[in-house]
Amino acid sequence: MKIIKKVMAVLFSLIIMLQFVMIPSSASSSGSLSLSSSSLTVGKTLTVTVTFSNSPNPIGAVEGYLSFNSSVLEYIQSANTSLASGSKVKMVGVGDGTSKSIKFSVKFNCKAVGSSSLSLSGSVLDYDTEQSASVSSSKSVTVTSSAALSNNANLKSLIGSYGTLHPNFSANVTSYNVSVPNNITVYSLTATPADSKAKTEYFGSKNMKVGKNTRSVVVTAEDGVTKKTYTITITRAEASSTSSKVTSSGITSSEEVSSEILNEFTIGENKYTVQNEWQADTKLPAGFEAIEYSLNDENIAALKSAGGTILVYAADESGNNSFVIYDEENGEYSEFRAVEYEQKSYILTERDRTAPVPTDFFPSKKDIGGEMTDVWMNENGETLIFATDTDGKRGYFLYDDKSGKIEFFASEPEPESTVSTEPEQKNWLENLKEDNDLLFKIVVIEAGIILILLILLIIFLCLYLNKRKRDDNDDNYYYDQNDGFDDYDDFGDDEFINESSGAEITGNADEEFNGEISDDFKQLFDVIE
């Protein structure tokens, strides 16, 4: 029984040792966030340092997502990061085989008053064990308006290139008139803001047509919110000069000299003419600002976005005015169709043929702005449009036609990561699956070893019990208390046992006693006495 206990103890020890030998020890992984400031004002830049750490082994690779409030913060393109959606930044990095941490610097523009929670979720792959671990962290930031910023949107002076403004200039007067002769074809304005930190923008064409022309100056205060518009109406006189023209009959006739130079172009079958100014009630597309722009030596009404897209104001043959896109590099015009969301325009463009359709989305069409548009939808009813926003970001956008919400979905081509690609980067979900497969194999191997040990134990026990049974059969005898001998029924032989020494003395019970007592018998008798 003691032998069985010893064998069981050895087997149990082996099983415990296998747990430590075969299952890799788990590493300690973590993710943390560090903010340049937890309280900023509108217009300031927030820098978030994201750190992925692993111990005791180096980091193999990391993948993480940083969620934020897109109504308060605006993502700024940062190294090795991309905007996965309208409110989530994706980070991907690969270790060098020695470092135990990888850092990312994510920047945001504080665009509105409010608060934003910054939540990190991701996975860290251990370089040595190839096991992945989930990490998370969170911080919050508050954006406020700065009371120190000036709201002064007044002009200090306003001067025209010809004539005198009526009435005389005053910061509190916002409407003026001036008359110029016919030979004045260009009229410039010089506006000086009362606050040097305020900004001025000029609207309307410098080129004067016969009759009334309107130009305006918009002053934006330092706080970026307060604005004031000064409007100047310039009246150019009718032409009085004529030019001579010889007819086929030799008679000289007169005709008025045209003072306007027109830019004409066609889009499809429609013919357009570029306008020098837009109508007073024209609504400017979100995300565009008026600029002074010259086309074919003529100043025209134009807009420009932060991403560099230029729009010109044009009229078709029916007199309908609209904005069109002008590619100044190629000198080409194209239709301007856009949807607006949160002070941005998303210009609908034809999908790049090199841009793969996102997984689980299929081509379809949807009415957007009264015109059937190519879109991509999935089984959940989500809709993707291919567009370029006013910041210049081009790719797929999630579009909710009910709420009007638009979120960036994916860009094409995807910007290549500048982080080292050796060892080859693995997706953390694939790594997790590989880890599960590895653990399953380990469990199967352990179960097999335990089963083999149990079989060996059973075999050992069977052999042991069989030997005991065989020994019992060989020792078929009984003990006689009267003579102290163990008598064998089968053979008639007596075995004398010296109880003190344990020695065995054999003899034949049928033999005649010769009167001599051996030393062994004497020892046996001494014990009995």
Side-chain angles (χ1 to χ4, degrees):
M1 196 66 181
K2 291 182 178 179
I3 296 177
I4 296 177
K5 290 182 178 180
K6 291 181 178 179
V7 172
M8 292 296 291
V10 171
L11 291 176
F12 182 75
S13 300
L14 289 174
I15 294 173
I16 296 298
M17 291 174 63
L18 284 172
Q19 301 294 325
F20 292 96
V21 173
M22 299 195 65
I23 298 181
S25 60
S26 59
S28 175
S29 302
S30 64
S32 62
L33 300 177
S34 176
L35 309 182
S36 59
S37 177
S38 60
S39 179
L40 299 98
T41 57
V42 174
K44 298 297 182 181
T45 299
L46 168 67
T47 301
V48 182
T49 302
V50 183
T51 304
F52 293 90
S53 301
N54 192 58
S55 179
N57 304 326
I59 286 183
V62 298
E63 181 180 54
Y65 293 89
L66 182 63
S67 300
F68 63 97
N69 186 349
S70 58
S71 63
V72 176
L73 302 177
E74 182 178 29
Y75 167 72
I76 301 175
Q77 189 69 38
S78 307
N80 306 321
T81 66
S82 61
L83 195 62
S85 67
S87 58
K88 187 178 292 185
V89 177
K90 181 179 180 181
M91 297 160 288
V92 178
V94 176
D96 57 9
T98 59
S99 299
K100 297 182 180 181
S101 65
I102 294 179
K103 292 185 178 183
F104 298 88
S105 181
V106 187
K107 294 185 178 182
F108 298 93
N109 174 46
C110 301
K111 68 177 186 179
V113 174
S115 60
S116 173
S117 174
L118 296 159
S119 300
L120 171 66
S121 62
S123 178
V124 175
L125 178 68
D126 190 288
Y127 182 81
D128 292 342
T129 66
E130 294 190 355
Q131 286 185 303
S132 61
S134 298
V135 298
S136 63
S137 183
S138 63
K139 293 279 188 179
S140 61
V141 63
T142 302
V143 180
T144 59
S145 60
S146 176
L149 298 180
S150 171
N151 62 354
N152 187 349
N154 292 327
L155 282 179
K156 180 180 179 180
S157 64
L158 179 60
I159 302 173
S161 59
Y162 186 91
T164 302
L165 298 179
H166 298 283
N168 293 329
F169 173 77
S170 172
N172 296 325
V173 177
T174 57
S175 295
Y176 299 90
N177 296 284
V178 63
S179 297
V180 298
N182 179 263
N183 63 340
I184 301 300
T185 58
V186 176
Y187 191 89
S188 301
L189 290 172
T190 302
T192 303
D195 184 352
S196 60
K197 294 182 180 180
K199 297 180 180 179
T200 56
E201 295 178 281
Y202 297 88
F203 294 88
S205 175
K206 289 182 178 181
N207 290 349
M208 297 292 101
K209 64 181 180 181
V210 174
K212 289 187 176 182
N213 301 268
T214 302
R215 298 205 64 193
S216 60
V217 179
V218 177
V219 184
T220 303
E222 182 189 12
D223 62 8
V225 178
T226 308
K227 295 185 178 183
K228 180 180 284 190
T229 301
Y230 293 84
T231 304
I232 304 92
T233 301
I234 306 103
T235 303
R236 182 186 173 196
E238 295 284 343
S240 58
S241 61
T242 59
S243 62
S244 298
K245 179 180 179 181
V246 180
T247 64
S248 58
S249 60
I251 302 174
T252 300
S253 63
S254 299
E255 65 179 7
E256 186 177 73
V257 178
S258 174
S259 61
E260 293 186 83
I261 302 174
L262 302 179
N263 290 284
E264 295 182 346
F265 62 91
T266 58
I267 299 178
E269 298 180 354
N270 299 321
K271 186 176 181 180
Y272 295 85
T273 301
V274 177
Q275 301 298 295
N276 292 335
E277 61 181 15
W278 45 76
Q279 299 174 348
D281 57 350
T282 301
K283 181 181 180 296
L284 303 185
F288 285 87
E289 294 184 355
I291 60 172
E292 295 185 4
Y293 195 76
S294 177
L295 181 63
N296 296 330
D297 297 326
E298 180 180 1
N299 291 329
I300 63 171
L303 304 174
K304 190 173 184 179
S305 70
T309 302
I310 294 177
L311 300 182
V312 298
Y313 195 59
D316 61 17
E317 294 178 302
S318 300
N320 298 317
N321 296 304
S322 61
F323 287 101
V324 297
I325 300 173
Y326 176 63
D327 183 352
E328 60 181 348
E329 182 177 351
N330 299 314
E332 297 177 349
Y333 298 86
S334 59
E335 182 182 11
F336 173 70
R337 292 186 59 230
V339 287
E340 297 183 2
Y341 179 68
E342 290 189 344
Q343 306 302 315
K344 282 187 179 181
S345 290
Y346 297 82
I347 305 170
L348 302 175
T349 57
E350 184 178 355
R351 179 180 70 91
D352 296 338
R353 296 307 175 189
T354 58
V357 176
T359 306
D360 299 331
F361 283 85
F362 55 87
S364 183
K365 285 187 176 292
K366 179 173 285 191
D367 186 345
I368 299 179
E371 186 173 337
M372 297 305 293
T373 306
D374 290 332
V375 298
W376 294 264
M377 303 181 68
N378 61 14
E379 295 180 352
N380 298 327
E382 294 179 317
T383 301
L384 292 180
I385 59 174
F386 197 86
T388 302
D389 67 11
T390 46
D391 290 333
K393 191 184 299 295
R394 180 182 179 87
Y396 292 99
F397 291 82
L398 277 173
Y399 172 63
D400 186 342
D401 55 352
K402 294 182 180 179
S403 65
K405 184 178 181 179
I406 300 176
E407 290 184 333
F408 182 71
F409 183 79
S411 62
E412 184 59 35
E414 185 73 12
E416 297 183 358
S417 174
T418 57
V419 184
S420 170
T421 58
E422 293 295 336
E424 183 179 2
Q425 176 181 320
K426 296 182 179 179
N427 183 278
W428 71 278
L429 290 176
E430 294 178 356
N431 292 330
L432 185 60
K433 181 178 181 300
E434 291 177 1
D435 294 339
N436 291 336
D437 293 341
L438 176 62
L439 290 176
F440 176 75
K441 291 178 182 178
I442 291 175
V443 171
V444 171
I445 293 173
E446 282 192 353
I449 294 176
I450 293 172
L451 180 61
I452 293 173
L453 293 175
L454 289 176
I455 292 174
L456 293 175
L457 176 61
I458 293 173
I459 294 174
F460 176 80
L461 290 175
C462 290
L463 292 174
Y464 178 77
L465 294 175
N466 186 50
K467 182 177 182 303
R468 287 290 302 273
K469 183 177 181 181
R470 187 170 62 251
D471 292 342
D472 290 344
N473 290 334
D474 293 341
D475 298 335
N476 187 17
Y477 62 88
Y478 65 92
Y479 178 75
D480 191 341
Q481 293 180 350
N482 295 323
D483 57 13
F485 301 115
D486 294 326
D487 298 330
Y488 288 80
D489 292 336
D490 296 338
F491 303 100
D493 293 334
D494 292 335
E495 184 180 53
F496 303 95
I497 303 174
N498 185 335
E499 294 182 355
S500 62
S501 64
E504 295 181 356
I505 306 172
T506 60
N508 193 316
D510 296 331
E511 293 181 355
E512 183 178 355
F513 178 67
N514 58 12
E516 295 182 0
I517 300 176
S518 66
D519 293 335
D520 291 330
F521 274 100
K522 290 179 180 180
Q523 294 176 4
L524 177 61
F525 291 147
D526 292 338
V527 172
I528 294 173
E529 291 177 355

